[in-house]
Amino acid sequence: MKRLRYSLVSSLLALAATVGGSVGAHAQQRASFTQQFAGSTVLLTTGDTLRGPLALHRNEDVILLTMPDNTVNTLSAVAVQSFAVKAAKRDNNLVYQDFYDTRSGFYRGSPYYDMPPRRLLEKTDTSLVRVFRTYRWNHDKDYSDFKSPAFFEQLSSGPNILLRREALVERVMNNGPMYGGYGYGYGNPYGVPRTSYYREIKDAFYLGLPNGNVLPLRSPKKDLLAAFRQQAKQIEQYAKDNKLDFTDARELAFIVNYANSLQPKQ
C-alpha cells in the first residue's frame, strides 16, 4: 500500500512539474493590457483633432475614443499622428510620474547641469498629461525590414526622444513548502506544489531618432552610451554625479535630455 501511495505521489509530482513548466512559459507572455483615460486630445494623420475619453489597447496599438454624442471611434496607429491623455483617477494600471519635467525641463532651472531631478511626490497627480506618438516599428525583429505604425510614450525632449512601451506581463509564482504547497491539507491531499500567478507592468525603452527610426534600448545604459558614443563619458559621469538609474523611466529621461544638450547645434 505504501509503495502504491509513493508511486501515485511521484506520478502526480512529475505531472505537476510538466504542467507547471508549460504553464510557467505561457504565464510569462504578455497579457491583455487596456488603460482608460478620463480625457484626451488626438491628432490624426489627416490633420484633424478629436477629443474625449480614451481607452488605449496597448497590445493591439488601437485606441477607442468616446465622442460627445457617446459614439465610439476606433482608431489604429496608422490613422493617428500623436495623442495626449489625462490620467484617470481610478486606473490602477497607470504609473503616475511627472514626465512634464523631463520633456520640458524643470519649472525652475535646468536639468542639464548642477540641479538634480526634483524628488518625485508620492501623491497621485490626476492632472498629469502623457504624450504618445506614432512611429513605424519592426516590433523588435532585428532582421525584418517590415515596419508597421505603433504607439510609443514620449518621456523626454528631442531631438533624440526617449520612448517607452508598457506591457502587462503575467508571471508564475510557485508556492513551496513554506506556504503549505507540499502539505497534506484540504484540496491538496498529495502535497502537489500549487501554482499562482501575478501581473506586473514591464517597461521597454527606445530612442526615437531624428530620422524617424526607433532604436531599442534593451540594455539601457550600454545601448544609450553606444548611441552617444562621443559623449559617453560625460553622460556616464552626469548619471553618477546625480545618482540616476539607467533602468528607471523618469531618471533615464533626464539622462537623455542631458545627452541631447551635448549635441552640436544644427
Side-chain angles (χ1 to χ4, degrees):
M1 184 66 180
K2 289 183 179 179
R3 182 177 299 176
L4 178 61
R5 175 177 292 182
Y6 175 80
S7 176
L8 179 58
V9 170
S10 298
S11 299
L12 286 170
L13 288 173
L15 177 61
T18 303
V19 173
S22 61
V23 170
H26 171 73
Q28 292 182 15
Q29 296 181 359
R30 291 191 310 166
S32 179
F33 190 14
T34 301
Q35 290 176 300
Q36 304 284 340
F37 297 95
S40 72
T41 300
V42 180
L43 177 61
L44 303 181
T45 54
T46 60
D48 295 327
T49 300
L50 303 176
R51 292 180 176 84
L54 180 147
L56 170 58
H57 293 256
R58 287 187 173 271
N59 296 14
E60 298 79 15
D61 285 297
V62 168
I63 59 176
L64 271 60
L65 184 66
T66 302
M67 307 304 292
D69 61 359
N70 288 327
T71 59
V72 177
N73 248 343
T74 302
L75 301 166
S76 65
V78 70
V80 177
Q81 180 176 321
S82 63
F83 63 94
V85 294
K86 183 176 179 180
K89 293 183 178 180
R90 296 184 179 179
D91 189 343
N92 294 327
N93 287 328
L94 289 179
V95 179
Y96 296 96
Q97 291 179 307
D98 191 357
F99 287 119
Y100 181 85
D101 276 0
T102 55
R103 285 198 304 269
S104 305
F106 292 141
Y107 300 118
R108 296 179 296 277
S110 167
Y112 299 146
Y113 300 107
D114 297 329
M115 292 181 59
R118 299 189 309 173
R119 189 166 64 89
L120 185 62
L121 298 177
E122 295 296 328
K123 184 178 179 181
T124 297
D125 182 5
T126 57
S127 66
L128 172 65
V129 174
R130 301 170 69 180
V131 176
F132 293 79
R133 300 190 182 280
T134 301
Y135 285 80
R136 297 189 68 83
W137 179 43
N138 66 358
H139 295 261
D140 290 335
K141 298 177 181 178
D142 294 338
Y143 301 102
S144 174
D145 293 329
F146 177 75
K147 298 179 181 180
S148 60
F151 295 134
F152 292 82
E153 184 177 3
Q154 178 181 347
L155 303 186
S156 78
S157 59
N160 299 283
I161 302 173
L162 178 63
L163 304 171
R164 174 173 69 173
R165 281 181 65 88
E166 290 177 315
L168 191 62
V169 179
E170 193 173 60
R171 300 189 185 278
V172 65
M173 179 174 62
N174 290 315
N175 296 324
M178 290 181 61
Y179 303 99
Y182 289 95
Y184 288 83
Y186 178 77
N188 191 22
Y190 299 107
V192 178
R194 290 176 295 185
T195 302
S196 58
Y197 306 93
Y198 68 97
R199 290 182 174 184
E200 65 178 10
I201 296 177
K202 181 180 179 181
D203 286 345
F205 297 116
Y206 302 83
L207 202 61
L209 305 179
N211 62 7
N213 289 334
V214 174
L215 175 69
L217 301 178
R218 297 187 178 98
S219 176
K221 181 176 181 179
K222 178 183 175 181
D223 294 341
L224 186 64
L225 294 179
F228 295 95
R229 193 176 303 277
Q230 294 182 350
Q231 298 84 20
K233 289 185 178 179
Q234 292 170 270
I235 295 169
E236 194 167 11
Q237 189 62 47
Y238 170 80
K240 181 179 179 181
D241 291 344
N242 291 286
K243 297 180 174 58
L244 300 178
D245 187 345
F246 281 82
T247 62
D248 179 89
R250 182 174 183 268
E251 297 180 11
L252 183 58
F254 282 103
I255 297 172
V256 172
N257 274 344
Y258 176 72
N260 279 320
S261 75
L262 300 176
Q263 300 303 296
K265 302 299 181 182
Q266 298 293 331

